[in-house]
């Protein structure tokens, strides 16, 4: 559980007992993401946090601005859109920067093979996971949102301004 004050609490699923507690210095502007043993938060306190399920801080990455973008976890990397830095790939274990793609302002919405897909509200961008290099970009007029049914190699659904849903199946 993460509160808007920055409280981070972990409870045992079998009995509801508190098993760990941590804290950030501000609330969240997006949803947390988690692996089997770590919860990742993009906080309004200008930091990306990683907490162990015991509540211990694994790492903290300080940023130049308040964070409101949705982080995305895939293949030991955490992707976060950081104002001023652009789309940033962090090592999920250490918090060290893998790469920054300053020109990309969108959030990662899915992974496909060795690529990730980012959407900024008007453009869908395909980036190389290893280097953050832009492989291709597509204008998406009339599309307000993309939703993936699985984080990696799943179907992609586009929501249009006319409230239609379009399904894209990976080839």
């Amino acid at each position: 559980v993460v509160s808007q004050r920055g409280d981070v609490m972990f409870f045992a699923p079998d009995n509801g007992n508190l098993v760990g507690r941590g804290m950030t210095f501000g609330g969240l502007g997006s949803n947390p993401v988690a692996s089997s043993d770590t919860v990742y938060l993009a906080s309004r306190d200008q930091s990306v946090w990683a907490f162990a399920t015991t509540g211990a801080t694994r790492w903290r990455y300080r940023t130049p601005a308040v964070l409101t973008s949705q982080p995305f976890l895939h293949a030991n990397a955490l992707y976060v859109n950081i104002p001023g830095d652009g789309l940033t790939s962090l090592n999920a274990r250490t918090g060290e920067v893998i790469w920054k793609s300053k020109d990309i302002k969108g959030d990662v919405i899915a992974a496909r093979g060795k690529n990730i897909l980012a959407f900024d509200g008007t453009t869908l961008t395909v980036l190389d996971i290893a280097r953050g290099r832009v492989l291709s970009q597509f204008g998406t007029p009339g599309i307000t949102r993309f939703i993936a049914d699985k984080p990696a190699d799943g179907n992609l659904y586009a929501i249009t301004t006319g409230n239609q849903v379009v399904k894209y199946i990976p080839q």
Side-chain angles (χ1 to χ4, degrees):
V1 176
V2 181
S3 78
Q4 284 306 315
R5 286 189 342 196
D7 299 303
V8 181
M9 296 170 279
F10 297 89
F11 297 94
D14 56 344
N15 59 20
N17 289 338
L18 181 69
V19 295
R21 186 177 193 142
M23 183 166 222
T24 68
F25 299 106
L28 304 183
S30 61
N31 295 318
V33 294
S35 68
S36 62
D37 63 352
T38 306
V39 172
Y40 302 92
L41 312 171
S43 176
R44 292 186 180 275
D45 69 2
Q46 297 181 227
S47 298
V48 179
W49 295 84
F51 288 96
T53 53
T54 61
T57 302
R58 288 195 190 274
W59 52 261
R60 177 184 182 193
Y61 178 76
R62 292 187 171 100
T63 69
V66 170
L67 300 175
T68 58
S69 69
Q70 179 61 48
F72 184 85
L73 180 65
H74 176 67
N76 288 324
L78 184 71
Y79 302 94
V80 183
N81 183 345
I82 299 174
D85 287 346
L87 185 61
T88 302
S89 174
L90 302 171
N91 181 306
R93 297 268 180 234
T94 65
E96 294 174 0
V97 173
I98 299 170
W99 52 257
K100 292 181 184 183
S101 192
K102 202 168 191 69
D103 296 330
I104 305 302
K105 306 297 183 218
D107 292 340
V108 174
I109 57 170
R112 291 267 163 86
K114 295 184 180 188
N115 303 323
I116 53 172
L117 306 175
F119 182 62
D120 67 3
T122 61
T123 304
L124 184 66
T125 303
V126 180
L127 297 107
D128 171 45
I129 285 178
R131 295 179 198 88
R133 185 173 38 106
V134 174
L135 301 174
S136 57
Q137 289 186 304
F138 307 93
T140 57
I143 295 177
T144 60
R145 185 174 179 199
F146 282 100
I147 301 169
D149 62 4
K150 293 191 309 187
D153 301 320
N155 298 312
L156 195 60
Y157 297 87
I159 312 300
T160 70
T161 53
N163 292 323
Q164 295 176 325
V165 178
V166 180
K167 180 179 181 180
Y168 295 97
I169 301 169
Q171 301 273 334

